[in-house]
Coordinates of all heavy atoms in Angstrom, one line a residue:
H6 N 24.4 10.6 -13.0 CA 23.1 9.9 -13.3 C 22.6 10.4 -14.6 O 22.6 11.6 -14.9 CB 22.1 10.3 -12.2 CG 20.7 9.7 -12.4 ND1 20.4 8.4 -12.2 CD2 19.6 10.3 -12.9 CE1 19.2 8.2 -12.5 NE2 18.7 9.4 -13.0
A8 N 19.7 11.2 -17.1 CA 18.3 11.6 -16.9 C 17.7 12.1 -18.3 O 18.5 12.6 -19.1 CB 18.2 12.7 -15.9
D11 N 13.3 16.4 -19.4 CA 12.0 16.8 -18.8 C 11.8 16.3 -17.4 O 11.2 16.9 -16.6 CB 10.8 16.3 -19.7 CG 10.8 14.8 -19.9 OD1 11.8 14.1 -19.8 OD2 9.7 14.3 -20.2
W13 N 14.3 15.9 -15.2 CA 15.1 16.8 -14.4 C 14.3 18.1 -14.2 O 14.3 18.6 -13.0 CB 16.5 17.1 -15.0 CG 17.2 18.1 -14.3 CD1 17.7 19.3 -14.8 CD2 17.7 18.1 -13.0 NE1 18.3 20.0 -13.9 CE2 18.3 19.3 -12.7 CE3 17.5 17.2 -11.9 CZ2 18.9 19.6 -11.5 CZ3 18.1 17.5 -10.7 CH2 18.8 18.7 -10.5
Q18 N 11.0 21.5 -10.1 CA 9.7 22.0 -9.6 C 9.2 21.3 -8.3 O 8.7 21.9 -7.4 CB 8.7 21.9 -10.7 CG 9.0 22.7 -11.9 CD 9.0 24.2 -11.6 OE1 8.2 24.7 -10.9 NE2 10.0 24.8 -12.2
G20 N 11.2 19.6 -6.1 CA 12.1 19.8 -5.0 C 13.0 18.6 -4.7 O 13.9 18.7 -3.9
K29 N 11.5 3.8 -14.4 CA 11.3 3.4 -13.0 C 11.7 4.5 -12.0 O 12.7 5.2 -12.2 CB 12.2 2.2 -12.6 CG 12.0 1.0 -13.5 CD 12.9 -0.2 -13.1 CE 12.7 -1.3 -14.0 NZ 13.7 -2.4 -13.8
G34 N 8.1 2.0 -6.7 CA 8.7 0.9 -5.9 C 10.1 0.6 -6.1 O 10.7 -0.3 -5.5
T36 N 13.9 0.9 -5.2 CA 14.5 1.2 -3.9 C 15.7 2.1 -3.9 O 16.1 2.6 -2.9 CB 14.9 -0.1 -3.2 OG1 15.8 -0.8 -4.1 CG2 13.7 -1.0 -3.0
G47 N 29.1 5.5 -20.5 CA 28.9 5.1 -21.9 C 28.3 3.6 -21.9 O 27.4 3.3 -22.7
V49 N 26.6 2.1 -19.6 CA 25.3 2.1 -19.1 C 24.3 2.6 -20.1 O 23.2 2.1 -20.4 CB 25.2 2.9 -17.8 CG1 23.7 3.1 -17.4 CG2 25.9 2.1 -16.6
F52 N 23.5 0.4 -23.0 CA 22.7 -0.8 -22.6 C 21.3 -0.4 -22.3 O 20.3 -0.9 -22.8 CB 23.3 -1.5 -21.4 CG 22.6 -2.6 -20.9 CD1 22.5 -3.8 -21.6 CD2 21.8 -2.6 -19.7 CE1 21.8 -4.9 -21.2 CE2 21.1 -3.7 -19.2 CZ 21.1 -4.8 -20.0
V53 N 21.1 0.6 -21.4 CA 19.7 1.0 -21.0 C 19.0 1.9 -21.9 O 17.8 1.9 -22.1 CB 19.8 1.7 -19.6 CG1 18.5 2.1 -19.0 CG2 20.5 0.7 -18.6
D55 N 19.7 2.4 -25.3 CA 20.2 2.0 -26.6 C 19.2 2.5 -27.7 O 19.7 2.8 -28.8 CB 20.5 0.5 -26.8 CG 19.3 -0.3 -26.6 OD1 18.5 0.0 -25.7 OD2 19.3 -1.4 -27.2
V57 N 17.0 5.1 -27.5 CA 16.6 6.4 -27.2 C 17.3 7.3 -28.2 O 18.6 7.3 -28.2 CB 16.8 6.9 -25.8 CG1 16.5 8.3 -25.6 CG2 16.0 6.0 -24.8
L61 N 19.9 13.2 -23.8 CA 19.8 13.0 -22.3 C 20.6 14.1 -21.6 O 21.2 14.9 -22.3 CB 20.4 11.6 -21.9 CG 19.7 10.4 -22.5 CD1 20.4 9.1 -22.2 CD2 18.2 10.3 -22.1
I66 N 26.7 14.8 -9.6 CA 26.3 14.7 -8.2 C 27.6 14.8 -7.3 O 28.4 13.9 -7.4 CB 25.5 13.5 -7.9 CG1 24.3 13.4 -8.9 CG2 25.1 13.4 -6.5 CD1 23.6 12.0 -9.0
D81 N 24.2 -7.3 -9.6 CA 24.0 -8.3 -10.6 C 25.2 -9.3 -10.7 O 25.2 -10.2 -11.6 CB 23.9 -7.6 -12.0 CG 22.6 -6.7 -12.0 OD1 21.6 -7.1 -11.5 OD2 22.7 -5.6 -12.6
I85 N 31.4 -5.7 -11.5 CA 31.5 -4.3 -11.6 C 30.5 -3.7 -10.6 O 29.3 -4.0 -10.6 CB 31.1 -3.7 -13.0 CG1 32.0 -4.4 -14.1 CG2 31.3 -2.2 -13.1 CD1 31.5 -4.1 -15.5
P93 N 15.6 9.7 -2.3 CA 15.5 10.8 -3.2 C 16.8 11.6 -3.3 O 17.6 11.6 -2.4 CB 14.5 11.8 -2.6 CG 13.7 11.0 -1.7 CD 14.6 9.9 -1.2
D97 N 20.4 20.1 -4.2 CA 21.6 20.8 -4.0 C 22.8 19.9 -4.1 O 24.0 20.4 -4.1 CB 21.6 21.6 -2.7 CG 21.5 20.7 -1.4 OD1 20.8 19.6 -1.5 OD2 22.0 21.0 -0.4
A98 N 22.7 18.6 -4.2 CA 23.8 17.7 -4.5 C 24.1 17.7 -6.0 O 25.2 17.2 -6.3 CB 23.4 16.3 -4.0
V102 N 24.6 20.1 -14.6 CA 23.8 19.3 -15.5 C 24.4 19.6 -16.9 O 24.5 20.7 -17.3 CB 22.3 19.8 -15.4 CG1 21.5 19.0 -16.4 CG2 21.8 19.6 -14.0
E115 N 31.7 7.7 -24.2 CA 32.3 7.6 -22.8 C 32.4 9.1 -22.4 O 32.5 10.0 -23.2 CB 33.7 7.0 -22.9 CG 33.6 5.5 -23.2 CD 35.0 4.9 -23.2 OE1 35.8 5.3 -22.3 OE2 35.3 4.0 -24.0
V116 N 32.5 9.2 -21.1 CA 32.7 10.6 -20.5 C 34.2 10.8 -20.3 O 34.8 10.0 -19.5 CB 31.9 10.7 -19.2 CG1 32.3 12.1 -18.5 CG2 30.4 10.6 -19.4
H119 N 37.9 14.9 -17.7 CA 38.7 14.5 -16.5 C 38.3 15.3 -15.2 O 38.6 14.9 -14.1 CB 40.2 14.7 -16.7 CG 40.7 13.7 -17.8 ND1 40.8 12.4 -17.5 CD2 41.0 13.9 -19.1 CE1 41.2 11.8 -18.6 NE2 41.3 12.7 -19.6
R122 N 36.2 13.1 -12.9 CA 36.8 11.9 -12.3 C 37.3 12.3 -10.9 O 37.9 13.3 -10.7 CB 37.9 11.4 -13.2 CG 37.4 10.9 -14.5 CD 38.5 10.4 -15.4 NE 38.0 10.1 -16.7 CZ 37.4 9.0 -17.1 NH1 37.2 8.0 -16.2 NH2 37.0 8.8 -18.3

Side-chain angles (χ1 to χ4, degrees):
H6 175 78
D11 61 332
W13 172 243
Q18 296 299 316
K29 297 179 186 174
T36 56
V49 170
F52 179 71
V53 178
D55 62 327
V57 173
L61 298 172
I66 302 163
D81 297 321
I85 304 171
D97 62 330
V102 178
E115 291 183 36
V116 174
H119 294 287
R122 297 181 187 273

